[in-house]
């Protein structure tokens, strides 16, 4: 999730748009001007101007509608989002909090109308403990509703916010798997929401060494995004994950297929240079580590048409022969998307420097 506004929020697709009520058509010119300026700036991605205009619209709207009206709540939500998008997180916090208070007063504490501001607030806040609480509340509300897709959204949002944080527990990883199952049952196979959840699920399967399940998800991501006339980032990343998985499992032929696929993807040019997509880290030579010896090795090598590394040569090194041997050894396991000339893969030279540092 990137930018939010009441009328564009993805959860609102299922709740109905939360926009100003019809009475707002009778507002003074100053309010209408400020609100229009906010919309224009927001659509243009001008975060600084959007925050400024949202503040003006909120201040005027609060006077016109009253501090506790739902219209004021909506304006406050827009302002909170605009401030957060402009990296004014501390300033955004009270407006997010006030929006929730007003929504609960108007719609009830267990209303589905609360899910959108809860998820948005959780996404924007830098306070992970607060985000965890907000997400839990959103999941509980959505779970009690008759809207399974909405519940899946709360699960997906919880995973995205909490994964790879101190709150990343086993249950957090289950959230995206649960969301994917719901999407799979209720959405078409080419739904972007479903395809993206498959990509996220693959990471969980890979971490759990469930390679067959990860492979199924990644191949489906590639299959769906291949229909586009440009390369989707998840399509490229899915190929890269498969290269790593196949390489680690010594399925070099399969890894090669995906190296070539990456190299020929759009919008990459027909003169695309070779690009690393799988690397094995060198091991620090034990005798060097015991002595506290540091070093570095510069190497040249060839990347062939299938993305394999060959002909490694030491250009320059420091620290001794052990670093050179380890560098050459590990380099042979690296995989690249090959260089393309006139749309065809070709051999090409490349260089790299491996640094060996202690601490």
């Amino acid at each position: 999730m990137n930018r939010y506004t009441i009328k564009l929020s993805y959860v609102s697709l299922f709740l109905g748009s939360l926009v100003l009520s019809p009475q707002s058509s009778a507002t003074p010119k100053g309010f209408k001007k400020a609100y229009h300026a906010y919309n224009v700036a927001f659509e243009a991605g001008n975060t600084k101007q959007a925050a400024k205009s949202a503040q003006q619209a909120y201040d005027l709207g609060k006077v016109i509608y009253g501090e506790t009206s739902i219209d004021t709540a909506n304006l406050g939500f827009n302002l909170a989002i605009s401030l957060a998008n402009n990296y004014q997180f501390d300033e955004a916090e009270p407006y997010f909090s006030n929006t929730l208070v007003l929504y609960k007063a108007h719609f009830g504490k267990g209303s589905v109308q609360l899910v959108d501001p809860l998820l948005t607030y959780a996404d924007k806040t830098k306070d992970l403990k607060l985000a965890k609480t907000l997400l839990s509340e959103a999941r509980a509300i959505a779970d009690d509703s008759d809207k399974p897709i909405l519940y899946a959204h709360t699960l997906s949002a919880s995973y995205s916010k909490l994964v790879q944080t101190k709150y990343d527990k086993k249950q957090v990883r289950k959230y995206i798997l649960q969301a994917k199952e719901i999407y799979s049952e209720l959405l078409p196979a080419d739904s972007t929401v479903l395809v993206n959840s498959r990509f996220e699920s693959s990471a969980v399967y890979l971490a759990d060494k469930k390679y067959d399940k990860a492979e199924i998800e990644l191949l489906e991501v590639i299959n769906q995004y291949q229909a586009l006339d440009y390369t989707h980032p998840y399509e490229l990343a899915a190929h890269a994950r498969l290269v790593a998985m196949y390489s680690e499992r010594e399925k070099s032929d399969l890894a090669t297929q995906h190296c070539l696929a990456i190299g020929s993807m759009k919008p990459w040019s027909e003169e695309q240079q070779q690009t690393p997509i799988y690397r094995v880290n060198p091991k620090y030579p034990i005798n060097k580590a015991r002595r506290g010896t540091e070093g570095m090795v510069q190497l040249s090598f060839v990347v062939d048409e299938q993305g394999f590394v060959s002909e490694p040569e030491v250009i320059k090194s420091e620290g001794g022969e052990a670093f050179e041997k380890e560098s050459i050894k590990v380099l042979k396991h690296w995989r690249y998307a090959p260089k393309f000339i006139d749309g065809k893969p070709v051999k090409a030279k490349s260089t790299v420097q491996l640094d060996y540092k202690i601490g």
Side-chain angles (χ1 to χ4, degrees):
M1 295 182 286
N2 296 318
R3 303 201 309 269
Y4 297 81
T5 189
I6 292 296
K7 62 183 180 181
L8 294 179
S9 177
Y10 72 89
V11 176
S12 293
L13 294 174
F14 299 93
L15 304 184
S17 295
L18 299 172
V19 297
L20 292 178
S21 61
Q23 70 186 49
S24 64
S25 61
T27 55
K29 289 183 178 180
F31 169 77
K32 289 195 290 187
K33 182 179 179 180
Y35 189 67
H36 175 72
Y38 154 73
N39 280 313
V40 171
F42 184 89
E43 296 292 344
N46 187 339
T47 57
K48 184 176 181 180
Q49 184 58 49
K52 180 179 178 180
S53 297
Q55 182 72 66
Q56 293 171 342
Y58 173 79
D59 291 340
L60 291 169
K62 185 169 63 173
V63 174
I64 295 167
Y65 302 119
E67 292 190 2
T68 60
S69 78
I70 191 61
D71 291 322
T72 299
N74 292 339
L75 290 167
F77 191 29
N78 286 341
L79 174 56
I81 294 165
S82 297
L83 290 169
N85 287 342
N86 199 44
Y87 303 102
Q88 296 174 259
F89 301 109
D90 291 340
E91 293 89 339
E93 292 281 350
Y95 294 106
F96 275 125
S97 296
N98 190 53
T99 294
L100 287 174
V101 170
L102 293 178
Y103 273 35
K104 287 177 181 178
H106 282 273
F107 300 116
K109 291 185 178 180
S111 173
V112 292
Q113 281 86 351
L114 294 174
V115 173
D116 195 10
L118 284 167
L119 292 183
T120 305
Y121 191 2
D123 178 64
K124 296 298 183 182
T125 184
K126 298 301 179 184
D127 185 340
L128 284 176
K129 184 177 181 181
L130 173 60
K132 183 173 179 289
T133 300
L134 295 168
L135 291 165
S136 178
E137 186 176 352
R139 290 196 308 275
I141 293 172
D143 193 19
D144 288 340
S145 73
D146 59 351
K147 300 178 182 293
I149 292 294
L150 181 62
Y151 180 51
H153 283 333
T154 66
L155 292 168
S156 180
S158 297
Y159 170 81
S160 297
K161 185 67 177 184
L162 301 177
V163 71
Q164 296 184 345
T165 72
K166 63 181 180 180
Y167 296 111
D168 185 0
K169 307 298 182 182
K170 189 173 183 179
Q171 182 56 46
V172 168
R173 308 228 164 185
K174 287 183 178 179
Y175 289 151
I176 192 61
L177 301 181
Q178 290 177 271
K180 184 205 66 178
E181 291 304 316
I182 295 172
Y183 292 144
S184 297
E185 292 178 8
L186 300 175
L187 296 178
D190 61 352
S191 165
T192 299
V193 172
L194 170 57
V195 177
N196 290 353
S197 72
R198 289 189 182 282
F199 178 78
E200 298 294 351
S201 295
S202 73
V204 177
Y205 290 137
L206 286 171
D208 292 339
K209 300 187 184 303
K210 296 179 179 179
Y211 299 118
D212 290 344
K213 290 186 176 182
E215 182 180 41
I216 290 171
E217 303 297 354
L218 291 169
L219 290 175
E220 182 60 19
V221 170
I222 293 168
N223 178 56
Q224 293 299 332
Y225 278 130
Q226 278 179 338
L228 301 176
D229 59 0
Y230 64 92
T231 296
H232 190 282
Y234 276 5
E235 182 186 356
L236 188 153
H239 280 297
R241 283 185 179 178
L242 286 168
V243 169
M245 187 185 80
Y246 290 141
S247 296
E248 289 173 358
R249 300 178 72 193
E250 299 183 353
K251 296 184 176 182
S252 60
D253 289 345
L254 291 174
T256 297
Q257 292 176 22
H258 293 280
C259 284
L260 292 171
I262 289 174
S264 60
M265 289 176 120
K266 299 176 183 179
W268 291 16
S269 74
E270 292 189 342
E271 310 302 318
Q272 176 64 37
Q273 298 299 308
Q274 63 267 36
T275 305
I277 54 177
Y278 174 69
R279 288 178 172 175
V280 177
N281 292 326
K283 295 179 181 179
Y284 213 106
I286 295 176
N287 63 328
K288 298 295 183 181
R290 287 174 177 169
R291 298 173 185 172
T293 303
E294 297 184 338
M296 73 84 180
V297 182
Q298 292 179 356
L299 305 106
S300 68
F301 54 94
V302 171
V303 176
D304 69 17
E305 297 90 336
Q306 286 76 42
F308 288 99
V309 171
S310 62
E311 303 176 36
E313 294 183 3
V314 176
I315 302 172
K316 179 181 178 182
S317 71
E318 296 175 359
E321 187 179 358
F323 290 128
E324 296 180 4
K325 289 183 177 179
E326 179 61 24
S327 298
I328 291 173
K329 176 183 175 181
V330 75
L331 190 63
K332 291 180 179 179
H333 294 284
W334 287 17
R335 301 302 297 274
Y336 280 72
K339 179 177 180 178
F340 276 70
I341 295 180
D342 296 329
K344 296 180 180 179
V346 298
K347 287 185 178 181
K349 281 196 170 185
S350 188
T351 60
V352 71
Q353 176 170 316
L354 300 180
D355 294 307
Y356 295 81
K357 301 289 183 182
I358 295 175

